Amino acid sequence: MNEKREYPTMKKMMKQGQIMVVYGSKYLVSVNPILTIERIRFSVVKLETKGKDVFNFYLTVEQMRQFCEEIDRGIALKKILQDTSNYPTAYRWVNGVDGSKQLIIGGGEKGIRVQTSGKREDGSGVDRRMTIIQHDDLKQMSFLFKLITGLITVTPDSYYDELRKAFLDAAKERERNMDTEKEENACQYASEAIRVHPEETGNRVVDRQPFEKQKNNVNPENRKVVVLKIVSQIQRDPAGIVRCTAVANQKRFTLCFNGNALIPDVKMNADIQAEVLTKKDIMNP
């Protein structure tokens, strides 16, 4: 990856497989959809290292789509503007072995802060990086993501159609120059990436126990009566994540299962979680 300060045309950027490129004082942020493996790679590259000092984080295509929806609806900007803590907290995704890698996007005095952290491959500690982007960068990224994935349509042979073709037509050439096996190994845990709600602070450990073990930990005598109602279709994304919308105790929330493990919504108290865990059929749409 070339991290020299170059500002290519939009068409050249798309040919290189990038939908966002932003330079900070110390780092370059690049967003590269790799649709053949159904992942979006966020790369934070230390400048003047010839692209060798890089931290990569992978989102699934569905996770990226949901983030872009919030960008386009103005939800993301509102959350980011409300994020006034010392470190960004508006959006946080966790994946990697034992949740060892994080991508965080949130507010800052000079713009939108992008922060990554993860264990160094050589075991020498934690690699933490932070840089600044702007809201317009996110809006452009969202548009280009939707353009190349067919979520928006454009007039044939128009300028934006040419951008779409530039990305897709150069994909085979990029794949020839890409170590596909290395990319697939690097993102094998991206299917476990979860969205952590901004209300959840600190070093929260996500419960990834198998379903049966979770269910056996429920004490029926201590449970309150909860009526759980599914109010949307149950969907399974390409990464195997099962989602649906439910209502219980006058609270509306998202049910999300990663494999056989429930990823709790911040609005779900212990009684609701216990009720969810008795309905194993939810995970098998």
Side-chain angles (χ1 to χ4, degrees):
M1 181 183 297
N2 185 5
E3 36 48 287
K4 292 182 179 180
R5 290 183 182 270
E6 296 180 356
Y7 299 90
T9 63
M10 187 78 75
K11 190 170 184 178
K12 183 178 179 180
M13 186 178 78
M14 295 289 275
K15 282 184 177 181
Q16 294 172 344
Q18 300 165 314
I19 59 174
M20 186 174 82
V21 178
V22 180
Y23 291 93
S25 59
K26 295 181 179 179
Y27 300 103
L28 157 70
V29 179
S30 174
V31 180
N32 299 63
I34 311 176
L35 301 181
T36 52
I37 57 175
E38 298 182 349
R39 297 293 184 269
I40 312 299
R41 185 181 67 213
F42 281 72
S43 299
V44 181
V45 188
K46 189 173 183 178
L47 296 176
E48 301 187 11
T49 64
K50 297 182 179 180
K52 295 181 180 179
D53 191 343
V54 57
F55 184 100
N56 293 323
F57 189 96
Y58 296 83
L59 293 183
T60 67
V61 171
E62 175 60 16
Q63 289 160 346
M64 184 67 167
R65 184 194 67 78
Q66 292 178 6
F67 182 40
C68 289
E69 283 296 320
E70 294 204 357
I71 293 171
D72 292 345
R73 292 166 59 190
I75 297 172
L77 179 60
K78 182 178 179 180
K79 290 180 179 178
I80 290 169
L81 290 175
Q82 292 174 342
D83 183 8
T84 58
S85 61
N86 292 332
Y87 296 95
T89 60
Y91 288 89
R92 179 157 64 102
W93 294 272
V94 180
N95 68 23
V97 180
D98 297 325
S100 60
K101 304 182 75 172
Q102 294 188 70
L103 169 64
I104 310 173
I105 298 176
E109 292 182 0
K110 298 181 180 179
I112 297 171
R113 290 179 291 183
V114 176
Q115 179 178 328
T116 58
S117 67
K119 297 178 181 177
R120 298 182 188 275
E121 293 183 1
D122 60 5
S124 60
V126 178
D127 183 352
R128 292 186 176 88
R129 305 175 184 220
M130 184 183 293
T131 190
I132 299 294
I133 64 175
Q134 302 301 324
H135 184 233
D136 284 347
D137 298 321
L138 289 182
K139 291 195 295 182
Q140 175 184 284
M141 177 194 72
S142 177
F143 173 78
L144 294 178
F145 170 76
K146 291 185 175 182
L147 180 69
I148 63 172
T149 54
L151 294 174
I152 57 175
T153 57
V154 293
T155 304
D157 299 322
S158 65
Y159 170 74
Y160 291 110
D161 189 40
E162 291 300 317
L163 290 183
R164 181 185 63 83
K165 291 177 181 178
F167 181 92
L168 298 176
D169 291 347
K172 290 184 178 180
E173 179 65 26
R174 293 195 301 271
E175 289 173 18
R176 279 196 290 268
N177 297 325
M178 179 180 70
D179 188 337
T180 304
E181 182 178 357
K182 182 179 179 180
E183 292 283 356
E184 289 178 341
N185 289 338
C187 73
Q188 64 179 318
Y189 293 96
S191 62
E192 295 184 5
I194 64 167
R195 163 72 191 286
V196 179
H197 292 265
E199 295 88 346
E200 302 177 42
T201 58
N203 297 322
R204 174 180 176 275
V205 178
V206 177
D207 186 358
R208 291 202 173 116
Q209 296 179 5
F211 173 85
E212 291 296 335
K213 188 173 181 181
Q214 287 183 331
K215 186 176 69 174
N216 291 338
N217 287 337
V218 176
N219 185 349
E221 296 180 358
N222 296 330
R223 285 177 50 199
K224 298 179 181 178
V225 176
V226 175
V227 177
L228 178 72
K229 182 178 181 181
I230 307 300
V231 295
S232 73
Q233 291 185 336
I234 300 173
Q235 299 180 335
R236 184 186 298 273
D237 69 20
I241 305 295
V242 175
R243 293 183 177 84
C244 64
T245 302
V247 174
N249 290 353
Q250 298 182 333
K251 294 180 180 179
R252 189 181 184 94
F253 50 85
T254 299
L255 289 181
C256 185
F257 290 94
N258 184 359
N260 288 330
L262 171 67
I263 301 173
D265 187 296
V266 70
K267 298 177 183 178
M268 294 168 58
N269 60 29
D271 293 321
I272 296 176
Q273 289 186 39
E275 179 65 19
V276 171
L277 292 172
T278 66
K279 301 185 182 305
K280 189 173 182 179
D281 58 313
I282 294 175
M283 295 184 294
N284 300 294

